[in-house]
Amino acid sequence: MSFEGSTLVDWAAFQRARAELGAGFVRILGYFQEDGSKSVTAIETAMRAGNATALVIPAHTLKGEARQFGAEPLALVAETIETIARTCIETRDTPDAALPHVVSLRGLFDETMSLLQREANPLVERRPGFGRRAVTGFGQG
């Protein structure tokens, strides 16, 4: 699964999360990176073991955290893995159908986190047009 950087994050949702979380935003984004990385590793480990049950919780967690920051493509892949795993539990089947989604997950997570962190970094120069007016000179806007 391939996404362009502009479609990996719903920037309006990202800005809403930033506004709602206020001063704790960067800290919580850091938790998402840490927890998300652990979830991706747990999903990969469960997939290697063919363990549908072990896929459910990390995929569900990743889905919810990704949506909080506007990372909808990441959330959709995690949701797909979760849905496949839940179906496999009910049918007592192996989660083989989740393999292509699991394979794409790490790269998608890393690329998404790179975009989120770049936008959250207060030292990065912001692009005009992304919720800000371009400044044409001192005191003009």
Side-chain angles (χ1 to χ4, degrees):
M1 188 174 292
S2 176
F3 293 96
E4 294 179 25
S6 63
T7 62
L8 286 178
V9 177
D10 174 345
W11 294 112
F14 177 85
Q15 290 301 338
R16 278 192 304 276
R18 181 179 233 162
E20 290 170 6
L21 297 171
F25 176 80
V26 173
R27 178 176 42 85
I28 294 169
L29 182 60
Y31 293 154
F32 171 47
Q33 180 177 16
E34 185 178 321
D35 293 345
S37 181
K38 289 177 185 176
S39 290
V40 171
T41 298
I43 290 167
E44 291 168 341
T45 300
M47 189 70 221
R48 278 192 289 280
N51 186 341
T53 303
L55 286 170
V56 174
I57 291 175
H60 179 79
T61 300
L62 184 61
K63 173 187 71 176
E65 291 177 344
R67 284 209 167 112
Q68 178 181 9
F69 290 101
E72 193 60 28
L74 180 60
L76 288 173
V77 171
E79 182 176 38
T80 300
I81 294 167
E82 178 188 5
T83 300
I84 291 169
R86 288 183 187 279
T87 299
C88 290
I89 292 167
E90 292 173 10
T91 61
R92 298 175 188 254
D93 199 3
T94 59
D96 297 338
L99 184 59
H101 307 287
V102 173
V103 168
S104 72
L105 192 60
R106 171 117 8 227
L108 181 58
F109 176 77
D110 290 345
E111 190 174 349
T112 300
M113 285 309 307
S114 176
L115 289 170
L116 294 173
Q117 289 173 333
R118 185 177 68 212
E119 191 60 35
N121 185 343
L123 301 177
V124 172
E125 182 178 331
R126 303 291 180 220
R127 298 179 305 276
F130 183 68
R132 297 163 187 84
R133 293 182 297 174
V135 176
T136 56
F138 184 76
Q140 299 176 8

